[in-house]
Amino acid sequence: MPSSAVIEPPVQGTLRVDRTEPTSAPLATAPLATVKLLTRRWSPRFFQGTDAITWAKLVFRNRFAVHPKYWYIAGIVSVTSTINLVLRWVQHGLYGDELARTQIDKQPIFVIGHWRTGTTLLHELLIQDRQFNYPDFFACFNPNHRLISERFFKTYGTWLAPEQRPMDNMAAGWDRPQEDEFALCLLGLPSTYADIAFPNHPPMYPGALDLSGLSVEELKRWKQTFHHFLQVLMFRDPRRLVLKSPPHTARIPALLEIFPDARFVHIVRDPYVVFPSTVNLWKSLASRHGFQSPNHNDVEEKVLSEFRIIYDRLEEARPLFRPGRFCEVRYEKLTANPMGELERVYAELELKGFDEARPDVEQYLQQTTDYETNKYTITDEQRTKIDRRWGDVIRRYGYC
């Protein structure tokens, strides 16, 4: 690949969703031209879904360093976070005992991989299968009171949902699949996503990505809160969950302690594409959801170092995977032959039902044939850094 080359991320598809009953239909799609008609750019900051205790800790530990132009947003979060805390208490009062008894009989499938490697595409392909459940935008951005507020917001609050993801052209909305890491962050667990709020400050939770920075008690709470969030997701829909969060790639031992029979599918992509795309991801999230005017000084180092953590921890965890519980996919092969690669995933993970899911997956693929890709460039200096810091991973997966 020549230096300073223009890099176009391969097609991932842009979708619309219309799901009213969890078992009535797979993820519905609409023509991609629909996205081009979208004009509204405003949407709530994702920190508006947190609770007052988590919000207070966030601003206190960052010394209340909210930029004046974002004071009004901080005020809004102060109000919404208080409401979220009250609603969480109400939900616990109404459903706490039943939630505690909710069983996760079918252990989850985890879609893992670094950010911008195609985890979203693979997630959406899998959840076309009607036997699977998944966390959507509403569940992940309103994790404190989903059971008592979801119907209202999905009926009367659709205007509050984002129409498009900040880092690319993919459509968004309350029913879109989303990363459960956002929910864990908003529930007050240590997360690298907390750094989005104050992007000019050092990481708020060093070691949160692979959980190595957590104390014994913090790790115990992390596991309990994560398990409880999944109980909320399955409270009214007992189908097997398919979860997608890049940070989980670095947390395999903890996840297997909670779910010993969980399945994992890891997707990998050309690191020379992943680097600029992930830099753009963090810049977009900080600009759209942060409370400071980001200087972006440390973004490239963040991407370089977190890539290492993710792939180092994954390699360390490989011996922990039981036969039939782990498989890998190359993004380039998935986009070239999605049906063939998905069938292989089902076979290697010992999942049933591919033939039944095939028509819905094919319909999804037919309706997502076009996509406006973002374009990035990498400089000679960036390429040198990538080769030096990620060289062994690049060689391991054959991208040299």
Side-chain angles (χ1 to χ4, degrees), residues 18 60 67 79 86 115 148 152 179 202 231 267 319 341 370 377:
D18 181 17
F60 179 78
H67 191 283
V79 173
V86 173
W115 294 277
I148 62 174
F152 174 85
E179 296 178 27
Q231 287 177 308
I267 186 166
E341 286 297 290
D370 297 316
T377 61

Side-chain angles (χ1 to χ4, degrees), residues 243-384:
L243 305 171
K244 184 269 292 191
S245 261
H248 290 334
T249 316
R251 301 168 178 168
I252 303 302
L255 295 175
L256 286 175
E257 288 178 11
I258 306 171
F259 301 111
D261 198 39
R263 290 165 167 83
F264 298 84
V265 51
H266 172 232
I267 186 166
V268 64
R269 185 182 183 185
D270 183 353
Y272 297 105
V273 175
V274 169
F275 175 79
S277 187
T278 309
V279 168
N280 177 66
L281 163 70
W282 292 121
K283 287 182 177 180
S284 299
L285 289 173
S287 299
R288 188 71 63 88
H289 294 281
F291 299 92
Q292 296 177 321
S293 293
N295 55 39
H296 302 311
N297 291 340
D298 300 321
V299 174
E300 289 194 7
E301 177 57 32
K302 173 183 174 68
V303 173
L304 289 167
S305 61
E306 291 189 339
F307 182 97
R308 285 264 34 135
I309 292 171
I310 282 178
Y311 283 97
D312 288 348
R313 297 300 171 268
L314 178 61
E315 285 305 301
E316 293 169 4
R318 282 184 184 272
L320 302 177
F321 295 119
R322 294 166 44 196
R325 295 298 180 265
F326 177 76
C327 73
E328 290 188 297
V329 177
R330 291 174 68 97
Y331 180 80
E332 295 78 11
K333 289 186 177 181
L334 182 64
T335 54
N337 181 21
M339 293 301 298
E341 286 297 290
L342 193 62
E343 185 173 15
R344 181 176 66 82
V345 169
Y346 272 68
E348 292 191 17
L349 293 183
E350 299 177 354
L351 296 170
K352 299 179 181 180
F354 178 76
D355 289 338
E356 290 79 4
R358 181 187 293 272
D360 293 323
V361 177
E362 290 177 340
Q363 181 183 16
Y364 165 91
L365 292 170
Q366 290 172 359
Q367 295 177 323
T368 57
T369 54
D370 297 316
Y371 181 67
E372 289 187 11
T373 60
N374 292 333
K375 296 178 176 63
Y376 306 101
T377 61
I378 56 173
T379 65
D380 291 337
E381 181 182 4
Q382 289 172 327
R383 185 179 180 84
T384 299

Side-chain angles (χ1 to χ4, degrees), residues 77-311:
V77 175
S78 298
V79 173
T80 59
S81 64
T82 302
I83 296 172
N84 292 336
L85 182 59
V86 173
L87 291 177
R88 184 171 77 190
W89 291 338
V90 173
Q91 176 173 283
H92 179 75
L94 292 173
Y95 298 108
D97 292 340
E98 292 180 80
L99 278 171
R101 294 192 298 268
T102 300
Q103 298 295 314
I104 303 179
D105 296 320
K106 298 178 180 179
Q107 298 198 3
I109 299 168
F110 290 91
V111 176
I112 58 175
H114 193 277
W115 294 277
R116 314 304 294 154
T117 55
T119 54
T120 297
L121 171 62
L122 184 54
H123 193 205
E124 295 194 353
L125 286 172
L126 285 167
I127 64 176
Q128 301 309 308
D129 190 332
R130 305 183 191 203
Q131 69 175 307
F132 296 138
N133 185 10
Y134 64 92
D136 61 19
F137 262 74
F138 187 85
C140 292
F141 290 119
N142 295 278
N144 286 287
H145 49 78
R146 180 201 183 207
L147 297 180
I148 62 174
S149 61
E150 180 179 33
R151 178 172 296 182
F152 174 85
F153 278 98
K154 287 187 175 181
T155 302
Y156 303 105
T158 54
W159 60 277
L160 290 169
E163 292 182 331
Q164 184 172 306
R165 302 200 310 181
M167 77 292 293
D168 55 26
N169 298 317
M170 293 192 71
W174 286 140
D175 289 298
R176 302 296 310 136
Q178 187 50 263
E179 296 178 27
D180 53 274
E181 184 70 14
F182 284 106
L184 303 185
C185 176
L186 295 176
L187 289 169
L189 295 183
S191 172
T192 187
Y193 289 8
D195 300 338
I196 296 170
F198 295 92
N200 299 336
H201 285 189
M204 186 172 174
Y205 297 108
L209 180 58
D210 61 355
L211 306 181
S212 63
L214 278 61
S215 67
V216 174
E217 285 302 314
E218 287 174 329
L219 183 57
K220 179 180 179 181
R221 178 175 177 265
W222 189 93
K223 294 176 182 178
Q224 291 174 340
T225 304
F226 179 55
H227 187 270
H228 181 266
F229 176 67
L230 300 193
Q231 287 177 308
V232 172
L233 295 178
M234 298 189 72
F235 184 69
R236 292 175 178 149
D237 188 347
R239 294 174 298 161
R240 186 193 300 273
L241 281 165
V242 180
L243 305 171
K244 184 269 292 191
S245 261
H248 290 334
T249 316
R251 301 168 178 168
I252 303 302
L255 295 175
L256 286 175
E257 288 178 11
I258 306 171
F259 301 111
D261 198 39
R263 290 165 167 83
F264 298 84
V265 51
H266 172 232
I267 186 166
V268 64
R269 185 182 183 185
D270 183 353
Y272 297 105
V273 175
V274 169
F275 175 79
S277 187
T278 309
V279 168
N280 177 66
L281 163 70
W282 292 121
K283 287 182 177 180
S284 299
L285 289 173
S287 299
R288 188 71 63 88
H289 294 281
F291 299 92
Q292 296 177 321
S293 293
N295 55 39
H296 302 311
N297 291 340
D298 300 321
V299 174
E300 289 194 7
E301 177 57 32
K302 173 183 174 68
V303 173
L304 289 167
S305 61
E306 291 189 339
F307 182 97
R308 285 264 34 135
I309 292 171
I310 282 178
Y311 283 97

